[in-house]
Amino acid sequence: DISDAFGSVRLSKLCKIIQGIRRNLYSDDKEESEHIVRMLYLHTGTHQVGGKDPTYSIQRGLLQGDPLSPVLSDIYYGDMVSVRMVQFTKSPNQDTVEIFLRGADDFIFVSTDKGRIQSFRESLGRGFPEYNCTFKTSKTATNILDSTKKEHFIKFCGALIDVRTKEIFPDYSGYRETNVFSLQSWDQKARKPGDFIKMRFLLFCNIRQTRLFYGPYNSRRRLLTTLAANLSLSLRRLTCMLDTLVWSRGRKVRGRWLWKLILAGFRY
């Protein structure tokens, strides 16, 4: 996991990367990329201090909440991978089986060669100064350092991988001590409560219904457990929305509407 992924982006480096990409773009795309580079050099932000809103020039990092930040971050760290981590993106020979993945600022490296694993760890420990990139060693997990320590699960981008059975399933550990109500957002200005609840519930039912968690590498028991957990969490969130937006206001829910909504969610 990269430390402060957005905040660590060196803007001058990012501009050079984008300018290098421009050579292979069409004319319209070149003009747009030039606009982005200009924006990065002149980027400003405001921060309320007392009754004033002073404007600051952004010298380093991408702003949280800016819709372009995830894309620009992906370009930046994608270039880092292709330049500085290319030795880990391909297996050195046919006898070594490896997997290298990057999901935003998270990395996973699996190899049948322990030496390659150690080399990868050392690379992360050094970081990449030219990209102002360091890694959170406290969040880096491995199963090769201590042979007596049984690390059977790999966490990656919200998923758990069981290295013994090769099963992949959602990571629900974050919900153990979390008040589900606090996770909800109630921006319903443009929708009636019923439409808002329907939209959000169907979204919740669909979040983890991906091929990754329902592949043939998962046992029947694991598949049923994942499905039951997804449904349980979605129904808990539905109850929170009904309680906050309907029942607490002295209103009632039509049984037919609620039943149709639940069935629609189950179809996912």
Side-chain angles (χ1 to χ4, degrees):
D1 186 30
I2 296 176
S3 301
D4 189 19
F6 278 8
S8 297
V9 171
R10 184 167 288 154
L11 297 181
S12 58
K13 180 72 172 179
L14 176 58
C15 289
K16 290 181 181 179
I17 294 171
I18 295 175
Q19 289 170 336
I21 296 173
R22 289 182 70 243
R23 303 188 187 97
N24 300 321
L25 298 177
Y26 294 108
S27 57
D28 291 345
D29 294 328
K30 285 183 178 180
E31 184 177 346
E32 187 66 27
S33 66
E34 184 61 32
H35 174 73
I36 293 174
V37 170
R38 191 180 305 113
M39 178 201 71
L40 290 173
Y41 276 120
L42 302 175
H43 211 178
T44 60
T46 59
H47 180 69
Q48 186 173 9
V49 180
K52 298 181 180 180
D53 294 312
T55 300
Y56 299 90
S57 173
I58 307 299
Q59 300 294 322
R60 189 189 75 179
L62 300 171
L63 296 178
Q64 292 282 351
D66 189 320
L68 270 181
S69 292
V71 178
L72 293 174
S73 174
D74 193 46
I75 293 173
Y76 186 77
Y77 293 114
D79 184 81
M80 182 184 76
V81 169
S82 64
V83 174
R84 301 290 292 144
M85 306 181 76
V86 66
Q87 69 270 32
F88 301 111
T89 59
K90 292 183 180 180
S91 300
N93 53 64
Q94 294 181 347
D95 297 328
T96 303
V97 180
E98 294 185 345
I99 299 174
F100 177 93
L101 294 173
R102 179 179 69 89
D105 60 338
D106 292 324
F107 292 78
I108 182 172
F109 183 63
V110 180
S111 176
T112 55
D113 185 337
K114 288 187 177 181
R116 294 269 292 168
I117 296 291
Q118 185 60 33
S119 178
F120 183 76
R121 288 189 67 259
E122 292 172 356
S123 179
L124 297 187
R126 293 190 297 269
F128 304 102
E130 63 269 44
Y131 289 87
N132 195 39
C133 176
T134 58
F135 293 83
K136 298 176 184 176
T137 55
S138 61
K139 295 182 64 177
T140 302
T142 181
N143 64 348
I144 68 167
L145 293 181
D146 187 351
S147 59
T148 63
K149 189 177 180 181
K150 298 181 179 180
E151 292 285 353
H152 297 312
F153 298 102
I154 301 173
K155 291 185 179 181
F156 182 67
C157 291
L160 281 173
I161 305 171
D162 191 330
V163 297
R164 298 165 302 176
T165 64
K166 310 298 189 297
E167 293 181 319
I168 305 176
F169 46 96
D171 179 13
Y172 291 107
S173 59
Y175 291 100
R176 290 174 184 169
E177 299 180 0
T178 300
N179 184 346
V180 175
F181 178 86
S182 66
L183 301 178
Q184 309 304 314
S185 58
W186 314 108
D187 184 13
Q188 40 157 338
K189 297 177 182 178
R191 294 184 176 89
K192 295 180 180 179
D195 295 335
F196 176 80
I197 292 172
K198 178 180 179 181
M199 180 271 296
R200 296 290 290 177
F201 177 65
L202 296 181
L203 173 65
F204 294 147
C205 290
N206 192 40
I207 287 177
R208 295 177 180 81
Q209 302 300 87
T210 67
R211 293 176 60 184
L212 177 66
F213 300 132
Y214 294 94
Y217 36 78
N218 287 323
S219 66
R220 178 182 177 84
R221 180 177 180 178
R222 175 58 64 189
L223 293 174
L224 291 175
T225 301
T226 297
L227 181 60
N230 285 342
L231 292 175
S232 175
L233 185 57
S234 298
L235 290 172
R236 288 166 60 194
R237 288 182 162 185
L238 173 62
T239 303
C240 288
M241 289 189 290
L242 291 173
D243 188 29
T244 303
L245 303 177
V246 182
W247 296 325
S248 64
R249 299 181 180 184
R251 300 176 182 177
K252 296 182 179 180
V253 177
R254 293 195 302 270
R256 179 180 175 83
W257 175 86
L258 181 58
W259 181 240
K260 288 178 63 177
L261 175 61
I262 293 175
L263 288 180
F266 283 3
R267 291 192 187 100
Y268 282 109

